[in-house]
Amino acid sequence: MASSSGPLNEELQCSICLDVFSDPVTTPCGHNFCRICLNKCWTNTQTCFCPLCKEKYSKRPDLKINTTLREVVQHFKDKLNLEEPEVFCDFCDERKQKAVKSCLTCQSSYCETHLEPHHRVPRLKKHKLINAVENLEDYICQKHQRPLDLFCRDDQTYVCLFCTEGEHRTHNTVPIEEESQEKKIQVFQTQTDVQQMIQNRMKKIQEIQHSVELRKRNTEEEKSSSAELFTDLIRSIERCQSELLKMMEEQQKAAEKQAEDLIKELQQEITDLKKRNTELEQISHTDDHLHLLQMYSSLCSRPHTKNWTEISIDSDVDVFPLHRALTQLKKTHKTLNEKLCQTGLDWAQKFAVDVTLDPDTANPSLILSDDGKQVSHGDFKQDVPENPKRFDTICVLAKEGFSSGRFYYEVQVKEKTQWSLGVARESVKRKGTLEDNEPEDGLCFQMVLNDQSEFIVFDNLSVTFPHTKTPEKVGVFVDYEEGLVSFYDVDSRSHIYSFTGQTFTDKLYPYFNPFDNDEGKNSLIISPVSSN
């Protein structure tokens, strides 16, 4: 049979022709051979036996092609797609024949015909033959012109026999086949790990897809149930119904988008891992020991992949607060608003961002903590560098600006009698007072605690309204595309006020104003967000 080029998996190799199986058949003792090869062995013989283990059979077995093994072999051939460059015989005079072996001792390549003396002449039988290669010089010691058939474990390099009598005399050297075999075992283990990683990621994709479908089904059922309840409500709450359904749709879209991103990431990892697996499969079956050792370090290092164990998509829709709210809606419009705002805060908190104060924007009278999470008013102006970004007004912006999407942050205002929070456009006027700003100056959207009895909220127009309880922690949520800026009392999980229908074109920055010193109780503290 024609000799195959490239690496061969020993399990897929016929022990008679030493080639990949062709129409493999299985003997009663469990060994596999090419059908043609085994029939040739049993031609003109009265006693049939296994060519590998020599087990004899009382009568000639009725052999049938092992279809499963044949499919595996075909998959192996297709997957490897062996396309190595042809090597030609160095001794053919006329038409060059394809070389089947290269001799490291002769440093030449031979076709079947010219290789014959190496099988017959005793002296030539001792020569080291390998599968035909183009770059024979890579397999020869350039110093001693001898085959590189040893491996120095001390220096992690390939050496010839003469090298071990010189500078490598006291080193730990082993035959290159032995080192290659050890590395091949490790390659097999790495390949097994990679294959398991592929399976885990494929399973994770199925899990995510199932979770999304389950969530979608639950969402549709809940939407239907909610719609039935809303039909009994008065006209004044129809807007709340629309907002709730929209929120549920957005949550579903967010879950689907999250799932889509996770699946894309998993599929990319699978693609990368399959590529690594193919490379490992190729090198794990190679007879080119030098090439295996050269590729070992890069291929056997653990792939840089994400730990997917704890990553999942929540398939449940939080419907209990919703049903409770809808039941109360039948009684009062006020209770409906409170329940929807509770759901709104839970949703807003999913878009929490890490906010840090920007000292370049801080008024000279403000004192910022080292971690950039706290601001208070000092008793005097500090000597700070001139900066066009710095405010004349007692305020400071965050370092982080946002020009799309949604973001949310929380600020502790406990025990303070005055403060101002919100967001400012990047174009907000830095010099002079914010009260002097015109619309084209880049307005702030802020909520101000004027005293213990009322809030003031304003952009270009101010709105004043009383409140019965002063919040200890305020949440600020922004939806850039929707033109929405909302304020929440975090502890009571209630909505305070929203700016709606705004148009944003430049970056928005979180805005802070602690007001004057108030017996040391004037700090604003950016708090980590922990949703309930």
Side-chain angles (χ1 to χ4, degrees), residues 124-176:
L124 297 179
K125 283 184 176 182
K126 298 178 181 180
H127 288 192
K128 187 173 184 62
L129 298 175
I130 63 172
N131 285 340
V133 294
E134 282 189 321
N135 53 335
L136 260 176
E137 64 275 6
D138 291 346
Y139 298 80
I140 305 298
C141 176
Q142 299 303 307
K143 183 175 181 180
H144 301 110
Q145 295 301 307
R146 296 286 181 175
L148 291 170
D149 49 11
L150 296 171
F151 183 79
C152 176
R153 289 178 170 170
D154 292 345
D155 293 341
Q156 291 293 297
T157 189
Y158 324 106
V159 297
C160 70
L161 182 61
F162 283 14
C163 292
T164 61
E165 298 174 358
E167 56 183 309
H168 297 273
R169 183 176 62 258
T170 60
H171 292 183
N172 179 17
T173 57
V174 296
I176 196 171

Side-chain angles (χ1 to χ4, degrees), residues 4-8 76-84 282:
S4 296
S5 61
L8 293 179
F76 172 78
K77 291 179 179 179
D78 294 342
K79 197 170 185 180
L80 290 183
N81 192 19
L82 305 176
E83 293 181 355
E84 294 184 0
Q282 291 177 349

Side-chain angles (χ1 to χ4, degrees), residues 211-212 215-216 218-220 222-223 226 243-260 313-322 339-351 406 477 479 532:
S211 298
V212 171
R215 182 187 179 95
K216 185 174 183 179
N218 292 343
T219 298
E220 293 301 322
E222 187 55 35
K223 284 169 56 181
S226 301
E243 290 178 353
L244 178 59
L245 293 179
K246 178 180 178 182
M247 184 184 305
M248 293 171 64
E249 288 284 2
E250 288 176 340
Q251 289 176 334
Q252 175 61 28
K253 289 179 180 178
E256 291 180 347
K257 180 61 168 61
Q258 180 187 8
E260 180 182 350
I313 298 293
D314 184 9
S315 61
D316 294 328
V317 178
D318 188 11
V319 299
F320 177 73
L322 172 62
K339 296 304 178 181
L340 290 178
C341 288
Q342 286 183 13
T343 307
L345 180 58
D346 288 339
W347 182 73
Q349 286 178 325
K350 296 181 183 297
F351 301 95
R406 307 179 180 97
F477 171 73
D479 188 324
N532 290 349

